[in-house]
Amino acid sequence: MGDKNNENILSIRGMSKSFGRNRVLDHINLDVKKGTVMGLMGENGAGKSTMMKCLFGTYQKDEGTIYLDGKEVSFSGPKDALENGIAMVHQELNQCLERSVVDNMFLGRYPKNSVGVIDEGRMKKETSNPGTGTVHKKSLKQQIYYYRSFYIMFIPVFIFAVVFHYLPMLGIRYSLFSYKGIKAPEFIGLANFERMFSMPGFWSAFGNTILLSVVKLLLNTFMAVLISILLNELRFMKFKKVTQTIVYLPHFMSWVVTASVFTLILSPGDAGLVNSILIKLGIIDEGIYFLGDKEWWRSMFYAINIWKDTGWGTIIFMATLSGINPELYEAASMDGANRWNQIRYITLPALANTIITVLILNLAKVMNLFESVFVLQNDAVIQKADVLQTYIYTQTFNSGALPDFGYTTAVSVTASVVGCILVLLCNRASYKVRGRGIV
């Protein structure tokens, strides 16, 4: 690169990056010289974040070359950049994963395995080696005292989690025992699991659980994203707020009340609103018992869940949409993009990470399906509606004999293991698709 460029620790030449028709970076050049501290400043949408992400390898640049100490380099991610001694100022915490926002305030080169540059919020240069910095790290005791208010707030939450979430996990040992609540537990090894795998009722409940939970999760997420995008497109703010309130309200109704309301609406008699409308329109000749018909029950279950939970699910997506830079839409509009193309190339990519995160987090709960099924099922549809949690409930309280807590614990342990495997598989798929997961 020549002697002049060798004076630079880091040099960027001709970096360009576009999103669809929107060109955010256009042949940008940047030099970081030895012994200097530099920062990027500019208005929203100027391309500061995009440039850093291209430098770190979070984004793939369209054009451009990066030189480190006169040699061309290409970083595969923030960790790779840090290992090569490059730390950048950034407004987002996830750019330098190993450092806090405060520690990321140093822009330039620093020795490998060094700690940072901040001492009580002030940067101090080493006189022996300009351009690098050191930190006076607090001891663990000092850090705890400094953040004591946070630890005080954390203690009640920690105690609650231990008492109500972790200590009960000790009960999984009963899956290896025969325990009916009268005599002392009797160790029987894996007999409960052998019995479980030989029971047709277990496999039926297991299949129903996977089917109902996964389809419900996908439908609810799809509808939440769709409604969020539609609400985001509204320009009349009063109407938008009223609509948001209306779609949120069903979430606050208990499942018992929801089941009672829909039992009346879908009943086959004169009180059934849906059947009355269908008969008057000539679509059907006699009423259909939607919640008592095996062919209709699952469809009604999905529809009721969408009505109740979709509005609440839009909150996180609406929050993501509010964080999209409006200048991206303005630039796209100037380039001739219509509303559909703006949604396709700006809105949906911005929502992608949130959608994947929501899916993975909710996938952990797919085996816990109970209340919504329990209040809507009946004996006529039990083959289609029985899930693992209702199966455990039935085996415990309605089996006609003394409950075998060892057997039902074995079923619960199996459901938990399957749920954990599903989360890990989905997280692995996330790594394959977008290069990172959340677990």
Side-chain angles (χ1 to χ4, degrees):
M1 291 181 58
D3 293 335
K4 184 177 180 179
N5 287 330
N6 280 334
E7 296 177 358
N8 299 323
I9 295 173
L10 178 69
S11 295
I12 297 172
R13 292 289 177 268
M15 182 180 287
S16 298
K17 178 64 179 177
S18 299
F19 296 96
R21 297 184 180 181
N22 184 27
R23 196 169 184 84
V24 181
L25 302 177
D26 190 6
H27 295 91
I28 299 296
N29 297 320
L30 174 68
D31 292 317
V32 180
K33 296 183 178 181
K34 295 179 180 178
T36 62
V37 176
M38 295 185 65
L40 297 179
M41 294 183 291
E43 60 185 8
N44 288 337
K48 305 183 298 297
S49 300
T50 301
M51 184 172 178
M52 291 186 181
K53 290 178 181 179
C54 287
L55 172 62
F56 279 122
T58 305
Y59 285 166
Q60 293 297 317
K61 59 185 183 296
D62 298 334
E63 300 177 68
T65 308
I66 301 171
Y67 296 97
L68 181 64
D69 288 336
K71 297 179 181 179
E72 184 176 343
V73 294
S74 179
F75 300 127
S76 60
K79 188 174 182 181
D80 185 22
L82 287 169
E83 289 174 352
N84 282 276
I86 297 297
M88 302 293 286
V89 180
H90 205 273
Q91 64 204 27
E92 292 181 321
L93 205 120
N94 63 357
Q95 292 306 299
C96 291
L97 302 179
E98 290 83 0
R99 295 174 175 275
S100 69
V101 172
V102 175
D103 293 330
N104 284 331
M105 289 179 64
F106 182 64
L107 172 59
R109 187 77 187 274
Y110 65 98
K112 292 181 181 179
N113 302 320
S114 67
V115 180
V117 206
I118 306 304
D119 179 20
E120 297 296 331
R122 300 177 63 186
M123 294 188 291
K124 296 182 178 180
K125 293 184 180 179
E126 288 183 338
T127 55
S128 60
N129 190 4
T132 65
T134 58
V135 73
H136 302 282
K137 202 170 184 179
K138 295 183 178 69
S139 67
L140 178 61
K141 185 177 180 181
Q142 289 175 321
Q143 291 184 46
I144 292 175
Y145 178 78
Y146 184 78
Y147 295 108
R148 60 190 179 280
S149 58
F150 296 103
Y151 284 103
I152 291 172
M153 289 188 290
F154 171 72
I155 288 174
V157 178
F158 176 75
I159 294 174
F160 180 87
V162 170
V163 173
F164 294 100
H165 291 279
Y166 287 94
L167 289 182
M169 291 175 65
L170 298 175
I172 65 175
R173 68 185 187 277
Y174 288 113
S175 63
L176 304 175
F177 290 80
S178 175
Y179 180 47
K180 298 187 176 181
I182 298 178
K183 298 181 180 180
E186 178 184 352
F187 182 78
I188 57 174
L190 298 176
N192 283 325
F193 292 94
E194 294 175 358
R195 173 189 169 192
M196 177 184 67
F197 291 131
S198 65
M199 296 285 284
F202 166 78
W203 289 111
S204 176
F206 181 83
N208 289 336
T209 303
I210 296 293
L211 179 63
L212 292 174
S213 296
V214 172
V215 174
K216 179 175 80 75
L217 172 59
L218 294 177
L219 287 176
N220 284 4
T221 303
F222 172 77
M223 292 302 298
V225 171
L226 179 62
I227 292 176
S228 297
I229 293 174
L230 294 176
L231 288 173
N232 190 57
E233 293 297 311
L234 293 176
R235 294 294 175 262
F236 186 42
M237 294 306 298
K238 288 186 178 180
F239 179 74
K240 181 178 179 179
K241 291 180 179 179
V242 170
T243 305
Q244 284 181 287
T245 302
I246 292 173
V247 296
Y248 292 164
L249 285 177
H251 173 78
F252 298 99
M253 293 177 62
S254 72
W255 270 109
V256 175
V257 174
T258 301
S260 300
V261 171
F262 277 94
T263 299
L264 289 173
I265 293 174
L266 299 173
S267 66
D270 295 336
L273 177 62
V274 174
N275 276 295
S276 298
I277 294 174
L278 293 177
I279 291 174
K280 289 179 179 179
L281 293 175
I283 297 175
I284 59 175
D285 296 325
E286 58 181 4
I288 301 173
Y289 188 13
F290 291 102
L291 294 178
D293 190 324
K294 289 188 289 187
E295 300 299 324
W296 284 98
W297 189 88
R298 284 178 178 168
S299 298
M300 295 300 103
F301 173 78
Y302 298 140
I304 294 170
N305 273 272
I306 289 173
W307 176 84
K308 188 176 189 301
D309 292 333
T310 297
W312 186 255
T314 62
I315 292 177
I316 189 170
F317 297 115
M318 289 294 293
T320 302
L321 290 173
S322 66
I324 300 177
N325 191 343
E327 294 181 4
L328 292 176
Y329 292 106
E330 294 174 7
S333 179
M334 293 176 64
D335 287 338
N338 56 29
R339 296 305 300 176
W340 164 245
N341 285 330
Q342 291 177 32
I343 293 172
R344 182 181 178 185
Y345 293 109
I346 299 176
T347 305
L348 291 179
L351 285 174
N353 287 340
T354 304
I355 293 172
I356 293 175
T357 302
V358 168
L359 285 174
I360 293 176
L361 292 176
N362 286 326
L363 200 61
K365 301 183 287 186
V366 296
M367 305 305 291
N368 296 331
L369 191 63
F370 176 70
E371 188 178 9
S372 58
V373 174
F374 183 70
V375 296
L376 292 172
Q377 69 176 198
N378 51 71
D379 291 339
V381 296
I382 198 66
Q383 292 181 347
K384 299 286 186 179
D386 196 23
V387 295
L388 283 179
Q389 298 300 325
T390 57
Y391 175 76
I392 292 171
Y393 178 87
T394 301
Q395 292 292 317
T396 304
F397 300 108
N398 294 335
S399 63
L402 288 176
D404 190 341
F405 298 109
Y407 174 69
T408 53
T409 302
V411 177
S412 296
V413 170
T414 302
S416 299
V417 171
V418 171
C420 182
I421 292 173
L422 288 174
V423 170
L424 294 177
L425 288 175
C426 191
N427 192 62
R428 183 62 180 172
S430 174
Y431 269 111
K432 293 290 185 181
V433 173
R434 58 181 191 142
R436 59 189 177 91
I438 65 167
V439 179

